[in-house]
Amino acid sequence: MKFVDPRHDCPRDPWHTIGGEDGPLVTITPASYLLLTLAQWHSARATWPAGKPVGVIVPNDAAIEDLAPDLPQLALVALQFPKWTDGRAYSQARLLKRRWRYAGEVRATGDVLVDMVPLLARTGFDVAVLRHDQSPEAAAETLKFFGAGHYQADTAEHRPLFARQGAAA
């Protein structure tokens, strides 16, 4: 898992948004690495040129299945955590990775805390944009807490522990 630290400019992160998130839609000129709101994407998707990487920001109350037909065009899906206690984006990520086998980047945005990182990784997130008071170093350390693995299946390991043990015997 990679981490984006909002406290510092991230020169390795090429994704950028454009204006018009809550107001009237602006005219969108296709460019590589644009991160569009869902409304912006719906207005531009029919004419989006192939080969131009584009991402979409999906609110956690949106029906993620509505995005399924567009997934082959999307290089990034940014899922939002408006509060760290609101976990609907975990379900959205899992659906993207397991049900629709989305191979692009799934990014956690919003109120993303270090404590969330292990579950983010298990549900299919590739990148986390950490809240401004969170440390990427501490986030990376949390991924080491469960080195022996988990009992339940997740997006990386599709079999629960008992099925893995049975297959090894």
Side-chain angles (χ1 to χ4, degrees):
M1 174 170 268
K2 295 186 283 185
F3 304 102
V4 175
D5 186 352
R7 297 173 298 180
H8 304 96
D9 288 334
C10 238
R12 287 181 247 139
D13 185 34
W15 294 97
H16 58 280
T17 58
I18 57 175
E21 287 193 32
D22 294 322
L25 294 177
V26 297
T27 302
I28 299 170
T29 303
S32 294
Y33 302 106
L34 277 183
L35 187 52
L36 305 174
T37 65
L38 201 51
Q40 290 169 334
W41 170 244
H42 285 154
S43 72
R45 69 180 168 193
T47 59
W48 198 266
K52 285 238 187 265
V54 62
V56 65
I57 302 166
V58 180
N60 71 347
D61 60 353
I64 198 72
E65 57 271 8
D66 294 345
L67 198 59
D70 297 331
L71 292 176
Q73 288 181 273
L74 299 173
L76 169 93
V77 176
L79 301 175
Q80 297 179 311
F81 287 89
K83 297 178 184 177
W84 70 269
T85 56
D86 187 340
R88 291 177 283 181
Y90 292 119
S91 299
Q92 290 174 318
R94 183 169 169 81
L95 288 170
L96 285 170
K97 292 291 186 170
R98 288 294 306 262
R99 184 176 293 171
W100 294 293
R101 308 224 187 295
Y102 178 62
E105 179 181 308
V106 177
R107 181 177 286 210
T109 62
D111 198 22
V112 180
L113 306 180
V114 166
D115 297 358
M116 299 164 61
V117 168
L119 189 54
L120 291 172
R122 294 191 67 219
T123 55
F125 286 93
D126 305 296
V127 174
V129 180
L130 299 171
R131 194 171 74 183
H132 73 281
D133 62 342
Q134 302 294 293
S135 160
E137 296 78 22
E141 283 297 311
T142 65
L143 292 173
K144 299 176 187 173
F145 289 169
F146 301 100
H150 298 276
Y151 183 80
Q152 304 91 345
D154 58 36
T155 57
E157 176 53 68
H158 305 301
R159 299 170 299 161
L161 181 63
F162 71 86
R164 287 177 272 174
Q165 290 174 337

